[in-house]
Amino acid sequence: MFDLLSFLRPSGTFSHGIHPAENKHYTAHMPIRRLPFAPELVLPLSQHFGAPSEAIVHPGQEVVRGEPIAKANGFMSVPLHAPATGRIKRIELMPTAKGPRTPSIILEVYPGDSQEVRYDFPRDYTTMEPADIVKAVQDTGLVGLGGAAFPTHVKLSPPKEHKVHTVLLNGCECEPFLTTDHRVMLEYPEDLIRGTKILMKALGAERAIIGTEENKMDAVAAIQAVLPADGSIEVRAVPTKYPQGAEKMLAKALMGVEIPSGSFPSSVGLGVFNVASTAELGALFPHSQGVIERVVTVTGPGIEKPGNYLVPIGTPIGFILDQLGFAGSANTLIMGGPMMGGSVSSLEVPMTKGSGGLLVLTEQILEQQHELSTHPCISCAQCLDACPMHLNPSQLGKLAYKHRYEDMQSDFHLMDCFECGCCSYVCPSGIPLVQYFRIAKSSLREQAARERAAAS
Amino acid sequence: MSTAGHKVVLHTSPHLRETPSVKVIMRNVVWALLPIVAFSVYQFGISVLALTFVCVGTCIGVEHVACRLSGKQSTVNDWSVTITGLLLALTLPPGFPLWMAAVAAIAGVGIGKLFFGGLGYNIMNPALIGRAFAQAAFTAPMTTWVPIMAEDRFTQFIPSTLTLPFLRPESIQPWLASVAPDGFSGATPLALMKFEQVPTESLSLLLGSTAGSAGETSALLIMLCGAYLVYRRMMDVRITISILVVAALTTTVFYLINPDTYPGPLFMLCSGGMMLGAVFMATDMVASPVTPLGVWIYGGLIGFITIIIRLFGGLSEGIMYAILLANACSPLISSVTQPRRYGAPSKKGTG
């Protein structure tokens, strides 16, 4: 509970955080395998952070695998590519992992097709200008594959006053159960290095550090074997701890710097990218391809054949579960990891660019969780000792209970919370702290939007 | 296998938790207190056993009835009120009249805990509220001490124990003369030191072969029980450390000024309720600050005030009021010692 000896431990990590059971043994050793095409793919136009893509196809149109089917709507947006050769069936509202139904392109896959990817033209980043690289990255439709789905090319265009000197590659994958990044680092280290070089070129950065956790030393070895001789890229393992994979925690662990509250990493000269995104960039960029599939860890005690699968974007969850088999009856499906992932409301929900994991828990596990009934806060201070942002979740929780959201924001820095869930995880009273904070934050955002609307 | 018809359960993240619940923490504190109670029963006999049952029973009863009256689900099964009962019994003199103990328990749980809204909302430690109430209401019985290891302690109650409700206890002098023919001063080591300048050997303080409240005699045993909780990560050892360190430092300063009048630090740490207070009372999670810096300040405050009361106050013992005072300060301490958050703008411009 109280870490008196923290100052004795080697640095190279952040303070606070938790050590949940890793549960990576289900899939860590399993090579990436391809999953068959579902008969119908559901492609939401908004799979990323920013403006939704704009469809450029019409129902009935035939598309080839890899062909753009939606274009970027402005700079804060990315295009969408056909994950399979087939026919556009319709464009309509479909359920998504986040909840609300959003406009989606439904693609009927041709079963007999060879599913050859339509290549564009070769590109050589070494001879390209940074601005052209940024445009080319946008054309690949690449977004952060770690979960946030933030468009990669936007991160490559930091504000002019910020000079990025170091690129950090985030391969921590601190969420329990997930092994996507681990397998990508292990199996595609060349792509990762190429992607890293592209990012460095675009940002004008002199060096890059690939950061991972100490539970993935085989990946470290695989990367070390292909590192460039000039020493511009290095790989480092930091202690395994949740949430090491948060970019603010990684910056602290690898560089010893804190990203100021409310600022981008570029304000301290850093660019932080997920390793799977970077490896994807390294694979797609030279051929001018778009993102049409991604590696997904399908895992948990509720699945018969857990593993790391290459899944076409838009594959419905129900199809994956049918292929890999439920081990239980009524399960809880989680898109992402157990700490930050969201429950899924419908089996029609498709895998999108940001979904790196599909976790299937069992009823037994859930029942164990429900045994923690909610007591009042007993001020045990465990949440303060867990919060990686050094906030005061205990006090925030008490204020949230009284709906004093403004006080939470002004006096206790609610907006610095990135919802890692450590506080809820350790709370002996079973208070759903992080859920309170989500509600408080969205309520404050709505209020701010209303005020802006009223002012204009 | 078809997926149609599967029930899908929705839940908010984090979906997994691995933490001892409030109930488990409280139950472990009860386990940790039991050896101290057992040792006390061994030393003082069935009177302390009866005292413990009365205190715990009354505390549980008050909370249960109060919850029922206010139409809430009974909260006695979270074990916290059991701790209050045990702690209260341990702070009372072994021969304390049982009816008075029951009144103290009602005051402690009723005023100290339930009036504020129950577990989690009390400002001060309920057991100490009960003891403070008894100290004010029943001054004479609260300072009547008995010798340890009386011969017939397992067959016979201390005469004052069975005083009828609403009556004052009879004098226990005849009983004292019979169990301790060599003469028993009737004072605790702290009172002996303070009022008569008679020191007690540190070893007997450590092992507990002295007079005192039911559970405050063996410093060593209390430390061992506390160590179990620290090992299980269910107690904030920072509070205990800061109390003991500051108390020792404060004592040392006065001891160096005048060793004849003022006792040494080891005596101060091992005597009276210091150890029980520092290990089990001050560390009450609800009434102590939550911030890392706050707990050090809180502990230091208790250590300092205890020694000042002991040396200069009218009472020989001071930790009870020191803890209650610090409990009252802890919301303030928490609010002025908010942790520096990650990425906070700093004046040096390091962020």
Side-chain angles (χ1 to χ4, degrees):
Chain A
M1 178 183 340
F2 308 107
D3 200 353
L4 290 172
L5 303 174
S6 56
F7 62 92
L8 291 175
R9 255 172 237 131
S11 57
T13 183
F14 61 101
S15 60
H16 296 183
I18 55 173
H19 293 94
E22 292 177 28
N23 279 310
K24 305 225 184 214
H25 61 275
Y26 286 101
T27 54
H29 57 286
M30 301 186 72
I32 298 168
R33 282 172 50 209
R34 189 173 284 280
L35 215 61
F37 287 96
E40 252 181 40
L41 300 177
V42 180
L43 299 149
L45 289 171
S46 179
Q47 318 195 358
H48 52 269
F49 184 91
S53 320
E54 236 178 275
I56 51 171
V57 289
H58 54 81
Q61 185 177 336
E62 287 196 328
V63 291
V64 181
R65 187 161 181 235
E67 176 186 336
I69 53 172
K71 62 174 186 178
N73 183 10
F75 185 66
M76 267 306 273
S77 183
V78 289
L80 202 56
H81 302 79
T85 298
R87 195 172 58 87
I88 305 294
K89 215 169 164 188
R90 54 189 190 276
I91 301 174
E92 64 170 22
L93 294 177
M94 290 294 282
T96 57
K98 286 201 178 99
R101 296 163 79 88
T102 65
S104 309
I105 299 173
I106 294 157
L107 175 64
E108 190 182 4
V109 179
Y110 286 158
D113 195 270
S114 65
Q115 296 298 351
E116 200 95 11
V117 177
R118 198 191 88 173
Y119 289 87
D120 251 12
F121 47 90
R123 272 200 195 109
D124 183 6
Y125 69 91
T126 54
T127 59
M128 287 171 77
E129 289 298 311
D132 297 333
I133 295 180
V134 171
K135 182 73 189 70
V137 170
Q138 182 178 18
D139 289 343
T140 63
L142 191 65
V143 298
L145 301 183
F150 192 86
T152 305
H153 70 278
V154 178
K155 284 200 200 176
L156 291 177
S157 323
K160 286 203 177 58
E161 63 273 21
H162 294 166
K163 171 78 185 85
V164 173
H165 52 74
T166 306
V167 172
L168 301 184
L169 283 310
N170 190 345
C172 293
E173 200 162 44
C174 56
E175 274 272 9
F177 285 100
L178 303 191
T179 54
T180 304
D181 293 349
H182 184 183
R183 291 311 304 188
V184 168
M185 287 190 287
L186 197 59
E187 297 183 40
Y188 306 124
E190 291 92 353
D191 287 344
L192 175 59
I193 298 300
R194 193 180 312 114
T196 305
K197 287 178 178 167
I198 296 170
L199 295 173
M200 289 165 75
K201 175 91 197 255
L203 285 165
E206 299 103 47
R207 66 172 188 148
I209 306 172
I210 301 169
T212 184
E213 288 186 338
E214 281 169 350
N215 57 1
K216 296 183 261 294
M217 293 314 281
D218 52 348
V220 172
I223 295 168
Q224 254 160 358
V226 296
L227 285 179
D230 63 0
S232 58
I233 304 177
E234 56 180 306
V235 57
R236 238 187 263 169
V238 295
T240 304
K241 184 161 76 164
Y242 181 87
Q244 183 66 73
E247 66 180 14
K248 291 189 170 187
M249 305 305 116
L250 190 66
K252 179 82 179 170
L254 291 178
M255 305 293 290
V257 298
E258 291 186 0
I259 299 167
S261 173
S263 306
F264 293 111
S266 58
S267 65
V268 287
L270 300 175
V272 188
F273 300 86
N274 166 267
V275 286
S277 318
T278 308
E280 188 74 1
L281 178 66
L284 299 176
F285 195 91
H287 310 292
S288 307
Q289 278 180 13
V291 178
I292 53 170
E293 56 197 4
R294 65 154 303 153
V295 180
V296 178
T297 304
V298 185
T299 183
I303 199 94
E304 273 167 25
K305 286 180 269 181
N308 304 290
Y309 297 98
L310 197 53
V311 178
I313 305 293
T315 306
I317 287 173
F319 178 81
I320 298 175
L321 293 176
D322 274 347
Q323 293 287 317
L324 304 178
F326 272 128
S329 55
N331 298 281
T332 286
L333 305 174
I334 294 158
M335 194 75 111
M339 294 301 296
M340 290 184 77
S343 275
V344 179
S345 56
S346 158
L347 293 177
E348 288 182 312
V349 166
M351 298 308 282
T352 55
K353 291 178 182 175
S355 30
L358 180 60
L359 174 60
V360 190
L361 296 175
T362 60
E363 274 183 347
Q364 279 169 325
I365 293 177
L366 283 172
E367 273 166 24
Q368 285 164 14
Q369 300 297 313
H370 289 177
E371 274 174 24
L372 276 171
S373 57
T374 306
H375 292 273
C377 171
I378 57 164
S379 307
C380 66
Q382 301 230 31
C383 53
L384 277 94
D385 287 312
C387 181
M389 295 302 288
H390 293 227
L391 302 177
N392 186 341
S394 162
Q395 188 65 35
L396 282 167
K398 286 174 186 166
L399 290 173
Y401 197 70
K402 295 178 196 151
H403 298 272
R404 286 168 60 185
Y405 298 154
E406 283 88 1
D407 293 343
M408 292 168 73
Q409 185 174 19
S410 59
D411 298 345
F412 294 95
H413 318 292
L414 173 66
M415 291 307 180
D416 280 329
C417 166
F418 61 90
E419 301 167 21
C420 66
C422 287
C423 50
S424 297
Y425 184 86
V426 299
C427 181
S429 290
I431 301 172
L433 289 163
V434 75
Q435 183 63 12
Y436 283 0
F437 304 159
R438 282 192 204 109
I439 295 168
K441 283 160 96 174
S442 65
S443 164
L444 285 167
R445 279 195 207 102
E446 274 172 30
Q447 196 185 328
R450 270 200 304 277
E451 277 162 16
R452 269 200 305 277
S456 63
Chain B
M1 185 194 290
S2 166
T3 51
H6 275 299
K7 186 179 80 179
V8 179
V9 185
L10 291 185
H11 188 252
T12 63
S13 69
H15 303 276
L16 295 178
R17 286 176 182 161
E18 279 170 15
T19 182
S21 68
V22 166
K23 218 185 261 189
V24 173
I25 293 177
M26 296 294 174
R27 203 162 56 213
N28 273 278
V29 177
V30 171
W31 297 152
L33 282 169
L34 286 182
I36 303 173
V37 173
F39 184 66
S40 189
V41 171
Y42 167 70
Q43 280 184 315
F44 294 108
I46 50 173
S47 298
V48 165
L49 194 64
L51 186 67
T52 308
F53 274 111
V54 167
C55 284
V56 173
T58 313
C59 285
I60 291 177
V62 170
E63 180 152 316
H64 187 74
V65 169
C67 285
R68 280 295 151 89
L69 287 180
S70 57
K72 288 192 292 187
Q73 210 186 346
S74 180
T75 50
V76 295
N77 64 355
D78 67 21
W79 292 83
S80 69
V81 75
T82 310
I83 299 175
T84 303
L86 287 174
L87 283 177
L88 178 63
L90 289 175
T91 57
L92 296 174
F96 197 63
L98 296 179
W99 75 267
M100 293 182 180
V103 172
I106 294 169
V109 176
I111 301 172
K113 184 175 178 187
L114 299 172
F115 277 12
F116 288 98
L119 177 66
Y121 300 103
N122 50 304
I123 293 173
M124 297 177 188
N125 187 323
L128 286 179
I129 296 277
R131 187 183 195 270
F133 183 88
Q135 179 106 44
F138 315 116
T139 313
M142 279 299 283
T143 49
T144 305
W145 309 104
V146 298
I148 59 161
M149 303 296 183
E151 251 177 42
D152 50 3
R153 61 187 188 279
F154 293 119
T155 53
Q156 214 179 333
F157 283 102
I158 300 167
S160 53
T161 297
L162 297 176
T163 309
L164 290 174
F166 307 111
L167 293 183
R168 274 199 205 134
E170 294 167 35
S171 167
I172 61 165
Q173 285 310 323
W175 176 80
L176 273 182
S178 73
V179 295
D182 303 340
F184 170 71
S185 69
T188 62
L190 269 175
L192 283 174
M193 184 73 208
K194 186 176 181 93
F195 302 120
E196 297 163 43
Q197 263 88 49
V198 179
T200 308
E201 258 188 79
S202 296
L203 186 67
S204 45
L205 288 170
L206 207 57
L207 298 179
S209 50
T210 61
S213 291
E216 65 180 25
T217 52
S218 173
L220 190 65
L221 181 67
I222 294 170
M223 278 194 277
L224 285 177
C225 293
Y228 165 75
L229 286 183
V230 174
Y231 169 72
R232 293 293 311 268
R233 299 173 147 246
M234 291 173 179
M235 192 189 102
D236 192 345
V237 72
R238 295 173 298 187
I239 294 176
T240 308
I241 292 173
S242 54
I243 293 176
L244 298 180
V245 167
V246 171
L249 288 177
T250 314
T251 313
T252 309
V253 168
F254 288 107
Y255 181 68
L256 291 178
I257 292 172
N258 188 352
D260 299 330
T261 328
Y262 300 116
L266 192 61
F267 171 82
M268 272 303 194
L269 293 193
C270 296
S271 61
M274 177 64 93
M275 208 47 88
L276 189 71
V279 174
F280 285 102
M281 301 279 200
T283 53
D284 177 6
M285 291 167 176
V286 179
S288 56
V290 291
T291 58
L293 179 61
V295 293
W296 293 111
I297 296 176
Y298 166 85
L301 192 67
I302 293 173
F304 180 74
I305 297 176
T306 306
I307 299 305
I308 296 301
I309 295 178
R310 281 185 178 188
L311 294 180
F312 304 106
L315 300 163
S316 61
E317 175 57 295
I319 188 141
M320 172 179 78
Y321 290 115
I323 293 175
L324 288 175
L325 199 62
N327 283 165
C329 295
S330 73
L332 179 68
I333 295 174
S334 278
S335 79
V336 299
T337 56
Q338 286 301 318
R340 180 196 171 274
R341 71 193 202 276
Y342 174 105
S346 78
K347 282 164 196 155
K348 289 180 216 155
T350 47

